[in-house]
Each structure stands twice: as C-alpha cells, then as structure tokens.
Amino acid sequence: MRIIIASDHAGYKLKKSLIEFLDKKYSVKDFGTDSEESVDYPDFGFSASEKVAQGEFDRGILICGTGIGMSIVANKVKGIRAALCNSVEIAKLSRQHNDANILVLAGRFMNKDLAVEIVKTWLNTEFNGGRHKRRIDKIKYFEMK
Ligand code: RB5
C-alpha cells in the first residue's frame, strides 16, 4: 500500500512519530512540512489529497493542530473521503462505512500511542460495501454534477 503523509507545523511532531512506525511496514511518502516553523495547512493538504484522488497513492494521512483545517481542505478535493478520527473505533468505522481514503489526526490533541493504534486499525480495515456502497455512490454522483 502506498501512503502519503503530510502535516502543518502543529502536526509535525506526531507525523514524525508515525513515520517511524509506518516506515517499518509500508511505503510512505512524507510530503512536508519539515519543521515546527509556522506554515499554512492548505499548502500541504490540497497537494497531498490530490495525489490520493489521482491514484498516485492509495491512502493519505493528514495532521494539523485540531484536524479540522486538514479535514475541510481534503474533503474539497473530488474523490476524497477524509475522516477526522479521535478513537480507534471511529477509525474502524470510517473504513467500514465510509471507505475513507484519508485519515485526519489532531496533532495537538492526540498522543503518539493512540495515534499509532488508530493508524494501524485504519490501514487494516476493509470497506464493508453493501448498503454503504450505495451511500458512497450517492456522494460520487453528487461530485459528478
Ligand atoms: C495552526 O495554528 C492551526 O490553526 C492548525 O494546525 C489547525 O488546527 C487548523 O485547523
């Protein structure tokens, strides 16, 4: 699985910790930012989301301070279903029910251990399809209009 990960300054530390974990098991592209110097999350979130939407990467992980800015950005990109997850259970459901292709985390409100558990679950949970596919198809239809 090809994964792209990006953050702003507020997500930088958590992103680095996650890369250490992910690098052992997956092919991960770090798309910035590269320090805790203040930057604007749309500059990283839009480009990373577009790369997932275009199929260059299978999944994306975006991190900002609250996760809200990155969620807003990612969900404006056609084909992206970004899920801001603060628990393992929500992460699991975001895959099973929503087929989320981007996971968003709140860098300022999440410790590393919980983030790793969320990421593990999110990467290893399949979409359930069925009635959930019908709902996703409605989103896709809306995007085509
Ligand atoms: C940056 O200070 C902060 O606003 C950003 O990381 C994010 O939380 C925005 O939603």
Side-chain angles (χ1 to χ4, degrees):
M1 190 187 299
R2 298 155 307 163
I3 300 165
I4 187 165
I5 187 165
S7 74
D8 70 355
H9 53 289
Y12 174 75
K13 270 192 181 156
L14 184 62
K15 183 186 68 164
K16 282 292 172 201
S17 304
L18 287 177
I19 289 171
E20 273 174 36
F21 155 73
L22 287 165
D23 259 348
K24 293 179 190 134
K25 287 190 156 198
Y26 301 93
S27 155
V28 192
K29 168 79 178 164
D30 182 357
F31 207 65
T33 189
D34 299 321
S35 75
E36 288 186 272
E37 191 177 321
S38 184
V39 291
D40 299 335
Y41 58 83
D43 294 341
F44 298 87
F46 278 126
S47 337
S49 299
E50 279 183 321
K51 288 184 183 297
V52 174
Q54 288 158 6
E56 201 177 315
F57 292 88
D58 303 302
R59 303 271 189 92
I61 300 173
L62 297 177
I63 313 171
C64 63
T66 58
I68 294 172
M70 283 296 200
S71 300
I72 293 170
V73 163
N75 279 311
K76 291 209 180 292
V77 176
K78 189 174 168 184
I80 293 303
R81 293 175 300 281
L84 171 56
C85 297
N86 293 315
S87 75
V88 170
E89 188 60 19
I90 297 286
K92 190 173 178 181
L93 287 166
S94 81
R95 289 287 313 132
Q96 290 178 331
H97 289 195
N98 311 109
D99 198 15
N101 49 10
I102 288 192
L103 170 68
V104 186
L105 296 171
R108 285 184 173 143
F109 297 89
M110 168 130 335
N111 67 56
K112 180 200 160 186
D113 292 343
L114 177 57
V116 166
E117 287 311 308
I118 286 175
V119 167
K120 265 195 226 169
T121 300
W122 189 75
L123 291 175
N124 290 307
T125 305
E126 293 302 317
F127 179 44
N128 280 354
R131 68 184 186 282
H132 302 295
K133 180 175 182 306
R134 184 180 70 237
R135 294 160 187 166
I136 300 297
D137 285 345
K138 288 184 179 182
I139 296 170
K140 289 181 176 167
Y141 178 75
F142 182 88
E143 282 182 325
M144 284 186 317
K145 282 195 293 179

